[in-house]
Amino acid sequence: MVLIFFAFIACKSTEKEKDKKEYFPVIDLWELVLTDTVIVDYPYDILLIDHSVNRKAFLGYDFQNRKIIEISETGQVLNFFDGLEDEGPNGYGKEMWALTYLQDSCMVVLGTTGFYFYDFKGRLIRKLRHPFRGGMWYNARKKIHPVTIDNVPHVLAILDDNTDLPPVSKDYFKEAYSFTIVNLVSEKYYYIGPLSETKRYGKNYNYVNLERLLDVNPVSQHALVTYELEPVVYVFDIKTKQKINSVPLNPDFFKEPIGFPYGKTPTISETITAMAKNSVNYKIFSMNDLILVEYHSGVDAENVTLEEYNSNLITENKKYLLIADTSGNNYKDLEIPAFCRTLNIIIHTGAMWFSAEERLMNTEPDKRTFFVYNLGQKNK
C-alpha cells in the first residue's frame, strides 16, 4: 500500500498552492445524487445516530428534550423512550454521550457514568460503569460501535475521562487516548491511540477544538479516527489494538487554525472568534474502501459575539464532504447543499441521510425533513 506523506501547511502564495495541488492530484470522480426526501411527523430536531438493517429503523436523539426515539426508514416514529434520561437507578443521567443498536437485541447508551443497555420497551437490562477518572470533557458527535473480536462482543467508544487532567493542560496530551475498546464479557477497558502521537495536538499551541471523531469499517475491522483540526485519518486494527496507518487528507478549504500559547487562557471573545474562524472536521464515515469526512470551512470574522457566531454558522459557514481512500487517493471535495444541515448517517446501502437546514427553508413547523443522497460517479 502506497501512501503520500502529507504535512499540512497553510499556503498563501499562488506558487505554494500550485505546488500543493501538483503534489496531491485530486480526482474529480464523485457527485452527490438526491434520491429521496423523508418527512418525519415530529415537532423537534432529531439527529439520526444508528441504523438497524433488520429492524429497518434508526435510533435518533432529540437534544432539546433529551429523548431517544426510534424512526422507520419511511419516517414513522416507532418508539419514544421517555424517562431514560432520569438520574434514578434505571436512567443514564444528565447527558446522552452516544447511542447504538447492539446486534438488534437491545440499544446501548453511553451516559455520564457508564454504558446502559435497554430493551426496546425502554427497560434497563444491564449497566456497565466505566472507570471514572476525570470528566467527560466533550459531548458532541460521539459514537459507539459494537464489534465482535474473537467471537466476543465489544464496543468502541470515545471516553474522554481516561485522564484526570483538563484538556487545557499540555500534560493532558501525554496521558489522553483517542478511543476505548470495551470487552462486554470481561468488562475490561483498553485505551487506544495516545494523543501524543497526533501531528498537531499537545505540540506548540492549545486549541479550543479538540473533538476526536470515530468510525468503524465493519469489513476490514479497522477503526478510523480523526480530530477536528487535523486533516489526517489514523487507522487502527481493532483486533491487535495497534495503529497501522495514517491517511493524509487534502481538503480544499481547510484553514490553519487559531491557537493559544499554553498557560494563556483566551478571553470569551477570543474563544468564540477561534470557534467561528477555525475549519473543523465535523464527522467521519467509512463506506467500503472510502473515507468520508464532513468538514466546515469556518467564517471570516473578528471579535464575534455568541449571537453572531450562531448566525454565521447558518449563513456563511460552508460545509464540504471530503472523500479519500486508504490508498492515499484524494477526490475533489463536494460542497454540501446549504439546505442540508449535516450528514447524520450512511447506511449499509450507501444511502446518505442529511438533516435539513430548516432555518433556511419553508418547511412545515411540526415536521422534520431528511434528504437522502447517494454518492454517484460522474459521467466521463
Side-chain angles (χ1 to χ4, degrees):
M1 183 177 293
V2 179
L3 287 177
I4 304 172
F5 180 77
F6 172 40
F8 180 74
I9 302 174
C11 302
K12 294 184 179 179
S13 71
T14 304
E15 182 177 349
K16 286 184 178 180
E17 286 293 336
K18 180 180 177 183
D19 289 344
K20 187 176 78 164
K21 292 304 179 185
E22 288 177 352
Y23 192 66
F24 298 101
V26 174
I27 306 168
D28 187 7
L29 178 63
W30 303 106
E31 62 183 349
L32 289 173
V33 180
L34 181 64
T35 59
D36 199 4
T37 301
V38 178
I39 308 295
V40 181
D41 189 4
Y42 189 77
Y44 303 104
D45 286 340
I46 308 166
L47 177 68
L48 302 180
I49 296 177
D50 198 17
H51 176 260
S52 168
V53 176
N54 293 330
R55 292 177 67 84
K56 297 182 179 179
F58 297 93
L59 280 177
Y61 192 65
D62 169 359
F63 281 92
Q64 182 174 340
N65 297 289
R66 296 167 50 217
K67 304 293 184 185
I68 297 170
I69 61 176
E70 188 176 35
I71 301 168
S72 74
E73 293 175 351
T74 58
Q76 179 185 359
V77 177
L78 301 175
N79 286 302
F80 183 82
F81 301 101
D82 197 13
L84 304 188
E85 72 283 0
D86 294 339
E87 296 188 65
N90 296 326
Y92 56 77
K94 292 181 180 179
E95 300 287 349
M96 192 287 296
W97 301 93
L99 174 67
T100 190
Y101 287 106
L102 182 62
Q103 299 171 342
D104 296 325
S105 61
C106 64
M107 60 183 180
V108 186
V109 180
L110 174 58
T112 49
T113 59
F115 297 91
Y116 295 77
F117 300 73
Y118 296 95
D119 66 18
F120 295 112
K121 295 186 181 298
R123 296 175 297 203
L124 182 68
I125 55 180
R126 183 185 180 189
K127 181 162 53 177
L128 173 59
R129 291 192 175 274
H130 60 68
F132 188 81
R133 299 172 65 182
M136 299 291 280
W137 296 107
Y138 309 98
N139 67 349
R141 312 187 297 281
K142 296 189 182 304
K143 295 183 181 180
I144 315 176
H145 297 276
V147 296
T148 300
I149 305 174
D150 294 330
N151 297 317
V152 177
H154 293 67
V155 291
L156 274 66
I158 297 174
L159 297 181
D160 295 308
D161 70 334
N162 47 51
T163 171
D164 58 4
L165 294 168
V168 294
S169 165
K170 192 169 185 178
D171 289 338
Y172 167 86
F173 299 93
K174 299 176 183 178
E175 298 187 17
Y177 289 83
S178 297
F179 68 99
T180 305
I181 299 177
V182 185
N183 185 315
L184 294 181
V185 175
S186 69
E187 300 187 0
K188 187 171 182 179
Y189 283 62
Y190 304 89
Y191 296 108
I192 312 298
L195 264 69
S196 59
E197 296 181 1
T198 63
K199 293 178 169 52
R200 182 183 298 281
Y201 291 102
K203 306 300 189 292
N204 299 323
Y205 293 100
N206 185 27
Y207 300 97
V208 297
N209 304 91
L210 185 56
E211 268 302 352
R212 44 263 219 205
L213 313 173
L214 171 69
D215 200 19
V216 170
N217 186 315
V219 177
S220 66
Q221 290 283 280
H222 290 164
L224 307 178
V225 178
T226 191
Y227 299 80
E228 283 191 305
L229 302 180
E230 277 201 341
V232 180
V233 172
Y234 301 93
V235 184
F236 296 84
D237 185 287
I238 295 172
K239 186 173 183 179
T240 64
K241 304 177 180 63
Q242 299 296 317
K243 186 178 76 173
I244 58 173
N245 207 352
S246 297
V247 179
L249 307 177
N250 186 30
D252 292 325
F253 306 100
F254 209 93
K255 302 190 296 286
E256 186 71 10
I258 298 172
F260 302 94
Y262 286 96
K264 169 182 165 46
T265 302
T267 65
I268 294 176
S269 177
E270 288 174 329
T271 299
I272 296 174
T273 297
M275 291 172 63
K277 296 187 72 169
N278 283 351
S279 302
V280 295
N281 294 325
Y282 194 69
K283 291 185 179 180
I284 185 171
F285 301 92
S286 174
M287 188 169 68
N288 300 322
D289 62 342
L290 295 178
I291 299 169
L292 293 87
V293 177
E294 177 185 332
Y295 75 92
H296 300 178
S297 65
V299 300
D300 292 325
E302 299 291 344
N303 301 318
V304 181
T305 66
L306 186 59
E307 183 178 0
E308 291 170 335
Y309 167 67
N310 289 326
S311 175
N312 287 341
L313 286 182
I314 301 172
T315 58
E316 298 181 34
N317 189 27
K318 293 189 179 299
K319 295 159 286 189
Y320 297 91
L321 196 61
L322 182 150
I323 306 171
D325 61 35
T326 52
S327 297
N329 294 311
N330 278 256
Y331 300 89
K332 185 177 180 180
D333 294 352
L334 303 179
E335 184 172 351
I336 296 173
F339 53 80
C340 293
R341 180 178 298 184
T342 184
L343 175 54
N344 283 210
I345 193 169
I346 301 176
I347 67 173
H348 66 289
T349 62
M352 309 161 74
W353 285 63
F354 289 83
S355 51
E357 182 50 88
E358 290 164 337
R359 291 166 292 185
L360 299 178
M361 298 175 58
N362 241 346
T363 57
E364 297 182 61
D366 292 332
K367 299 182 186 298
R368 303 277 73 84
T369 302
F370 292 91
F371 298 109
V372 184
Y373 284 84
N374 278 340
L375 201 58
Q377 291 193 14
K378 290 186 175 181
N379 295 326
K380 296 299 181 181

